[in-house]
Amino acid sequence: IKQGTKFKDIFASDEQCFAIDESEKLWAWGRNNNYQLGNNTTTDSTTPINVLTDKTFKAIVCNSLATHAIDSNGNLWGWGDNLGYAVGNGSSYDVTISNPVQILSGTKFSKIVTNDTANHYLIDEQQNLWGWGNGRSGQFGEGYVKDSVQIPTKMLSGKKVKDVSCAFYNTCIIDENDVTWITGDNGDGQLGNGTTTDSDYFIQLTSSSYTVTFMNGGTVVKTETVSGGNAATAPSLSKAGYTLSWDKA
C-alpha cells in the first residue's frame, strides 16, 4: 500500500483506517458514510487518500462514528457523526460534522485514546486528563457518573497523568509516579481489587509479588519473583507475600 511512502503510525476501526507518514501527513481510507475520512465527502475510498493537506499530525484515533487527530502543534481536531456527542465540539446530539473542527482551542494535547463510540480521553501537555462521552458506569472517576459528557472535561484535578487506556466500561491511567489507577464496571473483576463491586472513583492497583520455587525431586531448580497472573504454571495467586512452591516429582 502506497509504495514509496514511509509511515510511522496507523490506527484502524472496524470500517476506516488512518496512517501518518514520516512527513506527518495524514492518510485515510475505508467507509465514509458520515464524513469519517475528513475530506468533506461521503464517498468511500478503497485506497489511501491524503486528507487535511494543509496540516501535519502526530496522533490519530477513530471509531465507527467519529475521528480525532492531534496536529503537530498539539491542537485537537474532530469530525464525523456526533451521535452520543462523539465528536465533542459542543454540537447538538447526532449531527454530522463534515469538516474537521478544532476542539478546545488554546489547549495543547499530547495523547488521545478512544474505544468503540463510548468515550474518549486526552492528556494535555501539562499531563492533565480530559474526557468526554459516556460516563454512566463511572468511567470518568471521582464519582462523576453521567450518561453523556458533551465536550472534553478535565478529570482528576490535581493529579498528573502520563498514560491512559479505555475500554467500553473502564478506564485505566498511569500517574506521574508510575502508579496505576482504574475505575468503572467490575462485574467480571476488571478492577483487579478482589471484588466484583463497581467503582465510580479511580482506585489504585496494588502490585502483589510472589516468590515461586520450582523443584524437581526435592531439589530447587530455580526461583522466580512474579506478579499475580504472570506465571502461566503458577497456582491461584491471591495474597501478597506468599512463597509458593511445587515439586515436579
Side-chain angles (χ1 to χ4, degrees):
I1 302 173
K2 290 298 297 179
Q3 291 185 9
T5 302
K6 305 297 184 182
F7 293 92
K8 65 178 186 178
D9 199 9
I10 190 168
F11 196 95
S13 70
D14 290 341
E15 299 174 328
Q16 299 88 23
C17 292
F18 292 85
I20 298 174
D21 67 24
E22 289 184 342
S23 299
E24 298 188 329
K25 291 295 185 179
L26 183 62
W27 299 80
W29 64 100
R31 193 176 185 192
N32 199 24
N33 60 314
N34 287 311
Y35 299 93
Q36 299 99 312
L37 299 187
N39 62 341
N40 196 29
T41 77
T42 55
T43 302
D44 299 346
S45 179
T46 58
T47 59
I49 54 175
N50 187 197
V51 296
L52 282 79
T53 56
D54 61 331
K55 298 177 177 60
T56 55
F57 294 88
K58 63 181 181 180
I60 180 77
V61 298
C62 61
N63 55 40
S64 58
L65 293 175
T67 304
H68 293 85
I70 299 175
D71 69 25
S72 299
N73 296 315
N75 301 305
L76 176 65
W77 300 83
W79 60 92
D81 189 346
N82 200 42
L83 179 67
Y85 304 105
V87 176
N89 69 325
S91 295
S92 300
Y93 186 92
D94 200 20
V95 301
T96 300
I97 311 300
S98 59
N99 283 307
V101 293
Q102 188 173 349
I103 301 168
L104 286 184
S105 176
T107 303
K108 305 298 185 181
F109 295 97
S110 59
K111 180 166 185 170
I112 182 169
V113 298
T114 186
N115 57 33
D116 190 20
T117 77
N119 41 35
H120 305 72
Y121 295 88
L122 295 153
I123 298 176
D124 67 25
E125 291 184 348
Q126 284 71 48
Q127 294 189 303
N128 297 303
L129 180 69
W130 300 72
W132 82 97
N134 174 16
R136 70 174 62 96
S137 294
Q139 299 99 311
F140 296 130
E142 294 191 317
Y144 197 87
V145 181
K146 214 173 178 185
D147 277 354
S148 294
V149 177
Q150 299 182 22
I151 61 173
T153 301
K154 192 178 291 187
M155 311 288 177
L156 286 175
S157 297
K159 187 177 291 296
K160 300 299 183 182
V161 175
K162 60 190 296 186
D163 203 2
V164 59
S165 179
C166 63
F168 199 88
Y169 296 115
N170 298 95
T171 306
C172 298
I173 65 166
I174 299 175
D175 68 20
E176 61 182 336
N177 298 312
D178 294 323
V179 176
T180 302
W181 303 78
I182 188 169
T183 186
D185 184 83
N186 198 30
D188 295 311
Q190 302 97 305
L191 300 187
N193 62 345
T195 77
T196 55
T197 302
D198 300 346
S199 178
D200 301 333
Y201 293 84
F202 278 98
I203 60 175
Q204 182 178 340
L205 289 184
T206 57
S207 177
S208 299
S209 61
Y210 309 84
T211 301
V212 179
T213 304
F214 297 82
M215 303 179 72
N216 187 351
T219 301
V220 175
V221 177
K222 65 177 179 177
T223 60
E224 290 183 4
T225 300
V226 300
S227 298
N230 285 350
T233 56
S236 175
L237 305 177
S238 59
K239 297 291 185 181
Y242 275 29
T243 298
L244 306 176
S245 64
W246 59 95
D247 200 325
K248 180 180 178 181

